[in-house]
Amino acid sequence: MASDISFLWKSTALHLYKEVRRILEEYPTGTVRKMGLLTIAAVAAGAVGSVALAPVVLTAVGFTAGGIAAGSYAAAMMSSAAVANGGAVAAGSAVAVLQSVGAAGLAGTGTAAVAGVGGTVGGLVALLV
């Protein structure tokens, strides 16, 4: 499962890299350089906003401090994962990781990863605006 997550992150990062390269090649250099302040603000807002909203979103979908909320989207995910895995949710699976984050919050590495993704999305939005 860890290799699946690693592959997913690598393929997502590669896709984002290719998209940013395409955008930078499409716009004249002066246009991209003039967007400095907007880009910095968008990256910062994306990074801070994603870290701040991660616990809120996880709680909203059912990954709570007290466990997975009955009847929630998280419960459906857990059920599907358990059926696919012969009755148990595998350690390290997406459901297990999300429940851990929902219960205990983001650790340092998780915070950095979420901030990085949020900042990247914010930067891409700034390039498109």
Side-chain angles (χ1 to χ4, degrees):
M1 184 55 128
S3 64
D4 292 342
I5 293 172
S6 176
F7 173 76
L8 178 64
W9 279 108
K10 287 178 184 175
S11 64
T12 302
L14 180 62
H15 176 72
L16 286 174
Y17 171 77
K18 288 179 179 177
E19 189 63 20
V20 168
R21 294 277 303 186
R22 183 192 67 75
I23 290 168
L24 290 175
E25 290 170 0
E26 184 176 320
Y27 291 100
T29 306
T31 304
V32 174
R33 291 176 195 234
K34 288 178 186 175
M35 292 190 295
L37 187 57
L38 171 64
T39 303
I40 291 169
V43 168
V48 172
S50 62
V51 170
L53 289 177
V56 174
V57 171
L58 288 173
T59 301
V61 296
F63 295 104
T64 67
I68 292 180
S72 66
Y73 181 72
M77 285 179 64
M78 183 178 177
S79 175
S80 296
V83 168
N85 199 36
V89 175
S93 68
V95 173
V97 170
L98 290 172
Q99 178 51 43
S100 174
V101 172
L106 289 168
T109 306
T111 301
V114 170
V117 171
T120 301
V121 170
L124 289 173
V125 168
L127 287 175
L128 297 173
V129 172

